Amino acid sequence: MTSWLLGAGVFVIHLAGVVSAVLALLSSRTSQGAVAWIISLVTFPYAALPAYWVFGRPRFYGYVSSRGEHDSTLRRILARYRPLIEPYLTEAANVRVQAVEKLAMMPLTGGNRASLLIDGQATFDSLFAGIEAARDYVLVQFFIIRRDRLGIALKDLLERKAGQGVRVYLLYDEIGCHSLDDGYLDDLSRAGVEVSAFNSSRGFRHRFQLNFRNHRKVTVVDGVLGWTGGLNVGVEYLGEDARHGPWRDTHLMLSGPSVLGLQEAFWEDWHWATGRVIDLEWKPRVTCDECQHVVIVPSGPADGLETASLLMQHNIHGAQQRLWITSPYFVPDQGVQDALRLAALRGVDVRVMMPERPDHLLVFLSAFSFLPDMIRAGVKIYRYQPGFLHQKVMLIDDHSATVGTVNLDNRSFRLNFEITAFIPDHGFAAEVAVMLENDFAQCRGVTLEELESRPLWRKLVSRAAYLLAPVQ
């Protein structure tokens, strides 16, 4: 009997491996990923099965998007809100911007003011002042919140605003905030703050969705002011962590109709996490004298398209004179790598700024496996020297720039919920150019000789690390 049960168990495991291999064949986003999963699941299902169901799922199933067809409540509210924004819609002047609108499933709006916030002190001074001025509601979403000096300051501020009768909603990623203790969250709840984890694995059907993360950083005050960018909540983002040293990051403050795009992304995430719909202000308000055009581009594993990767490739292919990119994690997929090389080959000034000091060793090592080919094609690679570089910024020629949460890696392209502000404005692009010129002045260029002179064991380690790029 024991041997029969053992045999039956082995049969079931192998059958499950074959079934999962068929699912991988039908759903994997890349042929390389499909081949890797099929071979693993068929030949050694004992280890591959749990790994596939945690790391191999290509989409975030069950996420309720207000732009989808499955939730009538959200759709009815959006049907009332979208006409209000029509007076501020701007017809895209060229197909370059039209494509961004279609990717974002959000419109290009005028009447906005986009203000760069450079590094942590400027960012949190602006964000805390905005929250302090709130009269109706505050929406706050971060990937990481720490219980340190900065985290306590945010907590005290949110509790105080809730005590004043302002509706306060805090959404956090449970993986990014794994070290955040229950006492911090309980204090907020007792003070009247609505608190929720993103709950990527909410419910029995979605219990294996552990590899998906909500990496968005969004703050909205009264539907009038909004913030997004690279900074989370922790003293390291103020440059107070000895291991990382000075922390280089960029955030963005928005006012005008584009704030409703940030609000809509938070609103959808909150509905997924809690099942509840928040009553918010959806009437656009213009507060600027010299206004800019903005498209808010949410992206994530619930999208029908690979929005973040396609946005990146679209901007690269559209560059004619220069393309400057900063990213702390640079392990792009093959499509983005090829686009960068082609841009350099056609004479575009392609520069990629990366940190000198790593905080994720595998990602840092992976980049060395393809950087030589990048440099041979004419892509210029720079390493930021003073401390850790965490900003996610792109400059396209002299006409457009992006600021957001997307890193140039598979996790941001396919596994994380992200958000980007695309700003086709010459004045804003000029501000970004000055900012990045100052950053490049504090970088060192990486040479082909430097990479090729590495010992063989380091090259092998880099190649091995690159094999894990899909789940880093």
Side-chain angles (χ1 to χ4, degrees):
M1 178 63 73
T2 301
S3 60
W4 181 87
L5 288 174
L6 181 61
V10 170
F11 173 79
V12 169
I13 291 173
H14 279 270
L15 178 61
V18 171
V19 171
S20 297
V22 172
L23 292 175
L25 176 64
L26 295 173
S27 63
S28 292
R29 297 199 183 205
T30 65
S31 57
Q32 297 94 327
V35 169
W37 282 120
I38 290 169
I39 292 174
S40 301
L41 289 163
V42 171
T43 59
F44 198 69
Y46 309 100
L49 267 174
Y52 175 73
W53 286 102
V54 172
F55 298 110
R57 305 184 76 181
R59 295 196 185 280
F60 190 90
Y61 296 104
Y63 180 84
V64 181
S65 170
S66 66
R67 291 162 288 172
E69 299 179 352
H70 305 294
D71 194 280
S72 58
T73 302
L74 295 185
R75 286 174 64 80
R76 283 198 301 271
I77 294 172
L78 283 181
R80 296 197 300 267
Y81 134 61
R82 284 293 173 86
L84 297 176
I85 209 169
E86 286 181 2
Y88 307 98
L89 299 184
T90 301
E91 185 175 351
N94 53 51
V95 294
R96 172 176 51 83
V97 181
Q98 291 172 8
V100 175
E101 288 184 291
K102 291 179 180 178
L103 275 175
M105 299 178 69
M106 285 191 179
L108 177 73
T109 62
N112 302 288
R113 177 57 185 160
S115 302
L116 280 175
L117 298 170
I118 299 175
D119 292 330
Q121 196 62 55
T123 295
F124 288 103
D125 285 349
S126 171
L127 194 148
F128 282 17
I131 295 174
E132 190 68 70
R135 294 293 177 264
D136 185 5
Y137 60 85
V138 177
L139 315 177
V140 179
Q141 177 178 18
F142 284 101
F143 177 61
I144 295 172
I145 301 173
R146 303 200 192 282
R147 187 176 189 136
D148 55 20
R149 181 175 66 81
L150 185 62
I152 293 297
L154 175 64
K155 172 176 167 292
D156 292 345
L157 177 56
L158 296 182
E159 290 175 350
R160 186 166 67 254
K161 296 308 294 183
Q164 294 171 3
V166 174
R167 294 178 292 145
V168 181
Y169 303 87
L170 175 65
L171 184 63
Y172 65 95
D173 184 271
E174 58 268 47
I175 298 175
C177 295
H178 66 275
S179 63
L180 191 62
D181 62 276
D182 291 339
Y184 184 101
L185 302 171
D186 291 342
D187 287 348
L188 284 165
S189 295
R190 281 192 292 268
V193 177
E194 295 280 345
V195 181
S196 178
F198 180 62
N199 290 324
S200 60
S201 56
R202 177 172 64 85
F204 181 79
R205 291 177 56 210
H206 316 300
R207 64 196 181 280
F208 295 118
Q209 297 187 150
L210 302 176
N211 200 32
F212 299 111
R213 300 170 193 172
N214 197 312
H215 193 242
R216 293 171 180 166
K217 295 93 176 171
V218 171
T219 303
V220 174
V221 171
D222 296 337
V224 178
L225 297 175
W227 291 260
T228 192
L231 288 101
N232 289 294
V233 181
V235 294
E236 67 268 34
Y237 293 86
L238 297 173
E240 297 179 9
D241 183 279
R243 184 167 70 94
H244 293 107
W247 190 282
R248 178 67 190 91
D249 220 326
T250 300
H251 226 64
L252 186 70
M253 186 181 81
L254 292 169
S255 63
S258 63
V259 173
L260 299 184
L262 296 178
Q263 179 168 286
E264 185 178 323
F266 180 97
W267 185 64
E268 293 177 358
D269 287 349
W270 184 268
H271 184 265
W272 160 259
T274 67
R276 301 194 302 273
V277 178
I278 310 172
D279 181 21
L280 300 174
E281 174 59 57
W282 294 103
K283 183 178 180 180
R285 281 180 262 182
V286 175
T287 59
C288 62
D289 295 324
E290 297 182 8
C291 296
Q292 298 159 327
H293 300 123
V294 178
V295 183
I296 298 299
V297 188
S299 58
D303 296 352
L305 299 172
E306 293 180 355
T307 305
S309 178
L310 288 174
L311 176 65
M312 189 68 60
Q313 293 180 61
H314 174 65
N315 288 334
I316 296 169
H317 288 306
Q320 299 300 315
Q321 290 86 37
R322 66 179 171 186
L323 180 78
W324 295 355
I325 300 171
T326 70
S327 178
Y329 314 118
F330 185 67
V331 193
D333 58 27
Q334 195 62 51
V336 172
Q337 289 184 38
D338 292 342
L340 288 169
R341 284 193 287 263
L342 282 169
L345 289 170
R346 66 174 183 267
V348 177
D349 176 18
V350 180
R351 305 185 193 180
V352 178
M353 190 187 310
M354 306 160 59
E356 181 75 86
R357 308 179 191 181
D359 73 333
H360 290 288
L361 185 59
L362 277 178
V363 177
F364 180 79
L365 292 172
S366 296
F368 287 100
S369 63
F370 56 83
L371 286 183
D373 287 341
M374 288 281 181
I375 294 175
R376 290 188 190 98
V379 177
K380 304 178 187 72
I381 306 296
Y382 293 86
R383 294 283 192 188
Y384 186 74
Q385 298 297 296
F388 187 65
L389 177 83
H390 192 254
Q391 61 176 328
K392 304 96 164 53
V393 175
M394 175 182 283
L395 175 66
I396 308 101
D397 294 335
D398 64 349
H399 55 67
S400 302
T402 68
V403 178
T405 69
V406 176
N407 298 308
L408 268 77
D409 61 9
N410 183 71
R411 176 160 292 284
S412 276
F413 288 170
R414 298 185 176 89
L415 300 176
N416 286 351
F417 288 86
E418 307 279 7
I419 197 159
T420 301
F422 175 85
I423 305 171
D425 180 87
H426 288 271
F428 183 78
E431 291 181 42
V432 172
V434 171
M435 177 184 76
L436 294 183
E437 285 168 353
N438 291 333
D439 291 334
F440 280 119
Q442 301 181 75
C443 292
R444 70 171 185 86
V446 178
T447 65
L448 184 61
E449 293 72 22
E450 170 191 341
L451 298 176
E452 290 185 334
S453 64
R454 292 176 301 143
L456 177 61
W457 69 267
R458 292 190 65 180
K459 295 178 181 178
L460 292 174
V461 169
S462 295
R463 293 300 301 178
Y466 187 49
L467 294 176
L468 298 175
V471 295
Q472 287 174 8

